């Protein structure tokens, strides 16, 4: 059997102490997650994060930083995910846009409100990513390099 990790992105969007989360169905249960999803063909990690946030919440965002890169093996199915998590600021809500299948809707929660319902987290990464963000983890977006574009030689 060939082992292959799944590349995913997630976005931490904070506004006045509240975090944009997605209430979604997973295995028939309503759970909370960051706006997150899989990298698609011919797409950069940054493009994927912006796209997934819009598709799952109806929010246009501007990415501001990388908050962390996480390797996680889901106990439910044994699949390994590499999650690149970004920080972003909200720009505009587009409530007229249809949300992805399985999405119940966007939810704005404080960290305290999220802490009160750990049984609803899609995984422990939901709180871990927010806690890393709150702890000041911010790496420049330039950390993410598109290796398909040749580097420009320095003079």
């Amino acid at each position: 059997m060939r082992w292959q990790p799944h590349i995913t992105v997630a976005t931490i969007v904070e506004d006045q102490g509240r975090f944009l989360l997605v209430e979604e169905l997973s295995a028939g249960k309503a759970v909370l997650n960051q706006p997150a999803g899989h990298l698609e063909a011919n797409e950069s990690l940054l493009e994927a994060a912006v796209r997934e946030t819009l598709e799952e919440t109806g929010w246009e965002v501007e990415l501001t930083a990388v908050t962390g890169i996480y390797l996680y093996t889901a106990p439910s199915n044994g699949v390994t995910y590499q999650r690149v998590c970004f920080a972003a600021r909200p720009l505009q809500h587009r409530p007229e846009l249809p949300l992805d299948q399985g999405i119940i809707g966007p939810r704005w929660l404080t960290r305290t409100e999220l802490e009160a319902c750990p049984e609803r987290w899609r995984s422990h990464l939901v709180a871990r990513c927010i806690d890393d963000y709150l702890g000041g983890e911010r790496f420049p977006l330039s950390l993410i390099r598109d290796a398909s574009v040749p580097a420009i030689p320095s003079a």
Side-chain angles (χ1 to χ4, degrees):
M1 184 164 114
R2 186 169 170 237
W3 177 82
Q4 184 173 345
H6 294 247
I7 308 301
T8 62
V9 294
T11 308
I12 302 294
V13 182
E14 189 258 345
D15 186 36
Q16 300 179 16
R18 297 180 313 142
F19 294 91
L20 179 60
L21 298 167
V22 174
E23 186 175 17
E24 61 186 349
L25 293 174
S26 177
K29 179 181 172 189
V31 297
L32 296 169
N33 196 8
Q34 274 86 30
H38 293 267
L39 179 67
E40 293 182 357
N42 301 313
E43 180 178 53
S44 74
L45 290 167
L46 284 78
E47 291 166 341
V50 169
R51 175 187 53 77
E52 286 289 351
T53 303
L54 183 61
E55 290 177 353
E56 293 190 351
T57 70
W59 276 92
E60 293 178 3
V61 298
E62 178 184 11
L63 301 180
T64 58
V66 176
T67 59
I69 300 172
Y70 307 84
L71 195 61
Y72 171 72
T73 300
S76 61
N77 59 14
V79 173
T80 299
Y81 299 90
Q82 180 178 349
R83 173 188 262 207
V84 180
C85 189
F86 295 92
R89 70 171 184 248
L91 297 176
Q92 178 182 3
H93 189 216
R94 306 268 315 272
E96 75 281 3
L97 294 178
L99 302 179
D100 277 354
Q101 184 175 359
I103 302 295
I104 298 168
R107 305 289 181 256
W108 288 94
L109 298 176
T110 65
R111 178 62 178 91
T112 302
E113 291 168 332
L114 184 63
E115 184 65 34
C117 58
E119 72 284 353
R120 297 201 53 220
W121 302 349
R122 176 130 189 193
S123 78
H124 74 277
L125 287 178
V126 175
R128 171 70 190 272
C129 291
I130 290 174
D131 289 344
D132 287 350
Y133 171 87
L134 289 171
E137 295 291 345
R138 306 281 195 295
F139 302 94
L141 292 173
S142 62
L143 176 71
I144 306 297
R145 309 287 173 105
D146 183 352
S148 65
V149 177
I152 298 172
S154 57

